[in-house]
Every structure is written in structure tokens, then in C-alpha cells.
Amino acid sequence: MGKSKRDAKKARKATLKTVRYVNDYLYTVEYKADYALDVLLERGHSNMAQLIVFVQRALRDPRAVLSPVIRGGCSTFNAKTPEGDIILGRNFDYKDAPCVVVWTAPENGYKSLAVADATYMAYGLKRQQIKNQRKPMRILAAPYTSMDGINEKGLAAAVLEIKAKSTKQDTGKTPITTTVALRAFLDKCATVEECIALLQQYDMHDPMFVNYHYQFADAAGNSALVEYVDNKMYVIRQSAPDEPLALTNFFLTEGGDNSKEMGRDRFENISACLASSPSLTEHAAMDLLSENTLYYHHDWMPHMVTTLWSAVYNCTDRTMLLCTGMDYEKRYRFSLDRPGVWTLENH
């Protein structure tokens, strides 16, 4: 936020010039503007309204918009490939919309490759091209609408929803919200333990009326889950090196309110597969994600909840295999080291 207004405007324009259309469900952008994470982490914020104001001021543009969250789903798991690579599989289930692959390279943080949801940037119908919409500046909120990603140290992270009372910690620490925590993992953490330590420094405030939990994996083969029950943080670690863990939309921590749980069937399917298979290729992991998608009519909103994207992050070589719109025939390969570039792979 210390850069001049002219420099900030130039960086915004440079970012918007990198927006690329891949298909009706997928765009890419190479982020060149300053999203001022360090300032946000120092100041703190406890709700979506405060985050919106901060993002607009940081980007010096009121057109950068974040949207309130609604009910979703999601699944994650870690595994190891036959070659020994560490992977994190992830389904993101939410309102039918496109996603945006975003590369960031902050001055005071690690480079990362992440996936953001266009719904959270207040975009409309999935087949409207983001680049040509009336408010293209909304894509500048992408760093704070990323839901999963991987950084240059091989740390992968993802956030998932639980339909339970939201976390509102009040211990006197600086408050942050869910997606800002995700961005902080990617920018500031090299290992699973660093992610856990980062969360312990802040009071978590989930936006709106649901709870969130997280899965992490790093290049050394470590993975962990973090949940908040009654405003207390709990960590679930591996009981053995390289042990696969899975997460969907209910608490694994004892005492968590699972009265409105979702995804136990997906959790059991994924866990059974991981237990029976000592290793998974990236494409086998994508197949497992394809077998555990969601598609149903929202119980009180006029839209479908669907699997927007399925991603397999390789913590060893810092790449991502991605499918969008539940099209598992087209599998896109993205690399942290090649911003704006993708290839199609057969399986």
C-alpha cells in the first residue's frame, strides 16, 4: 500500500492484461498488483465487510468486490505417487461458476499457484467471459478468493466448509478471516508445521454463518488437518510418515457439532481407496476425485451446487493437474514456474 497511485494503477492494468480464457469454466491471471497481505495481517479484520473495504483500498479501486459465502461442500486428501511425489487432491464444491487460476509473486512472500472462485468475486453466470464483463476489476480480488493452492516451497493448502456454528475467537490476538488465512499459508509458510504455527498467532473469524477447516501437505510428506470446535483450535496429525488423511464436510475432532454434517459418504469412499492403495498416480487421484463430486439443487438458493474444480497438487514438482466443470476428459497441467501457460494431458 506504500506504492504511488500511479504505480498501483499500472500494476492493476498489467494484471488485467494477463487474463486468459481457457474454457467456459476456467480463466487464468498472473497477478502483478500489490494486495498488501502484510498490512492486512498486521491490522487484522474480523468480517467480510472489513475485508472488502481493505481490498478496495489496497488496490485503490472500489470495483474490486468480494461476495458473501453460501453453502458448499468440498473434499481433500493427501497421498504419495509411485515415484514418491507428495500430492494433495481437492474437490471444490460450490455455486456453479467459473474458476480462476492465479499466479502470485509477492515481494515479501513465496510465489504461489492457486485457484480462486469467481462467485466470491461477485461475478455472474458461468458462461459470461470475465475479461469482457462490465466490472473486470473484480478479478483483482483473486488473491483473497483463492480456496486452495501450492507455493514455491511445495506447501499445498485447502479450506473446506462445515455446516456448523462459525468460529469467532476472542483471545486478544489479531483477528483474521478464512480466505486471508489461506493466502497467508501460501505466501508465508514452507511446511505444515509453519501453517499450524501461523494460525496459532491469530484469532480466527469465519465469515458469515458456517465453520471452516483446513488440510495441509508439504514436500517432505507431512500432512495435517486443522479444525475449530467451540472457538478452540485442534490439530489432527499423521500417526505415521506419509499417512494419508482425508477431509470433507464434518468434524473429525471429538465434540464437534455434526448435526448438519455433509460428505461422510465421500469421506468413507476416499478413505477406503487410500487404505487399499499404497500409492496413487496423479491421474488416479483425479479419478478418485471424479468419483466423489457433488451436484444438487441448493436447499434455499435458486442454483445448483456442483464440483467447480478438481485439483491434484504435486508438492514435489510444484505443479497442478486441474479439471473444471466436471469434465474429466480435459485435464490441464499448470506449473508454478510457468505463469499463464497450460497443457492438456491424456489419461
Side-chain angles (χ1 to χ4, degrees):
M1 295 181 75
K3 293 186 177 181
S4 70
K5 188 173 182 179
R6 178 179 293 179
D7 288 342
K9 185 176 182 179
K10 183 178 179 180
R12 293 197 306 268
K13 287 185 176 181
T15 298
L16 293 174
K17 287 181 179 178
T18 70
V19 176
R20 297 289 183 270
Y21 169 89
V22 182
N23 62 47
D24 285 350
Y25 297 89
L26 177 59
Y27 292 78
T28 69
V29 64
E30 184 181 356
Y31 208 89
K32 298 178 181 294
D34 180 9
Y35 48 89
L37 176 65
D38 289 340
V39 177
L40 182 55
L41 292 177
E42 181 179 354
R43 291 183 181 179
H45 65 291
S46 59
N47 58 56
M48 183 66 74
Q50 292 175 356
L51 179 57
I52 291 171
V53 171
F54 177 86
V55 169
Q56 290 174 342
R57 289 178 177 174
L59 298 172
R60 300 177 185 267
D61 199 302
R63 293 170 291 177
V65 179
L66 299 174
S67 175
V69 297
I70 54 176
R71 183 180 176 186
C74 304
S75 307
T76 58
F77 62 86
N78 66 292
K80 200 170 187 178
T81 71
E83 296 77 22
D85 291 359
I86 307 302
I87 58 176
L88 179 71
R90 178 333 184 257
N91 274 348
F92 183 81
D93 310 319
Y94 201 61
K95 178 182 177 181
D96 196 14
C99 64
V100 181
V101 173
V102 53
W103 287 263
T104 56
E107 291 182 1
N108 299 314
Y110 300 129
K111 294 187 296 182
S112 71
L113 168 66
V115 188
D117 179 13
T119 296
Y120 281 71
M121 289 179 272
Y123 281 111
L125 299 176
K126 65 179 182 297
R127 287 181 173 81
Q128 291 178 304
Q129 291 193 17
I130 290 173
K131 189 177 181 181
N132 297 328
Q133 286 206 27
R134 290 165 50 192
K135 297 185 178 181
M137 283 291 182
R138 290 179 174 178
I139 205 168
L140 291 173
Y144 292 120
T145 62
S146 299
M147 303 298 158
D148 46 76
I150 190 168
N151 68 18
E152 63 180 278
K153 295 298 183 180
L155 183 281
V159 58
L160 304 84
E161 179 184 312
I162 306 174
K163 192 167 178 59
K165 184 179 179 181
S166 59
T167 299
K168 305 290 183 186
Q169 291 185 308
D170 185 17
T171 69
K173 299 176 183 177
T174 303
I176 59 171
T177 54
T178 308
T179 59
V180 174
L182 195 287
R183 174 49 51 191
F185 302 145
L186 297 177
D187 282 23
K188 304 296 183 182
C189 299
T191 66
V192 168
E193 290 303 319
E194 288 184 14
C195 290
I196 295 168
L198 185 147
L199 286 174
Q200 291 170 335
Q201 298 175 34
Y202 296 93
D203 277 347
M204 178 59 66
H205 285 247
D206 291 332
M208 303 304 286
F209 309 109
V210 292
N211 192 292
Y212 294 92
H213 52 177
Y214 307 84
Q215 180 163 9
F216 312 108
D218 63 31
N222 305 305
S223 186
L225 316 174
V226 170
E227 300 185 326
Y228 292 86
V229 176
D230 295 330
N231 292 321
K232 184 177 179 181
M233 177 179 158
Y234 292 86
V235 181
I236 300 173
R237 290 182 169 86
Q238 297 160 302
S239 58
D242 299 325
E243 178 190 12
L245 303 174
L247 204 58
T248 55
N249 311 116
F250 62 94
F251 288 106
L252 296 180
T253 302
E254 185 176 354
D257 178 12
N258 285 325
S259 60
K260 298 180 180 179
E261 71 173 45
M262 290 178 57
R264 191 170 291 272
D265 55 342
R266 287 179 278 121
F267 176 83
E268 292 175 350
N269 290 342
I270 292 170
S271 297
C273 177
L274 296 174
S276 64
S277 302
S279 63
L280 290 176
T281 67
E282 290 182 57
H283 285 286
M286 184 63 75
D287 290 340
L288 179 56
L289 292 171
S290 73
E291 295 164 2
N292 291 278
T293 57
L294 283 185
Y295 189 78
Y296 68 91
H297 194 277
H298 196 279
D299 52 7
W300 55 271
M301 294 287 285
H303 62 254
M304 300 301 296
V305 173
T306 183
T307 300
L308 274 63
W309 70 81
S310 299
V312 177
Y313 292 99
N314 189 311
C315 299
T316 304
D317 63 16
R318 304 174 306 175
T319 61
M320 172 181 66
L321 190 66
L322 184 72
C323 293
T324 59
M326 292 204 292
D327 181 355
Y328 292 95
E329 295 303 313
K330 293 182 179 178
R331 301 185 174 190
Y332 298 89
R333 172 74 62 181
F334 296 91
S335 172
L336 176 62
D337 300 322
R338 301 182 68 196
V341 177
W342 63 87
T343 57
L344 273 174
E345 291 191 4
N346 296 321
H347 67 284

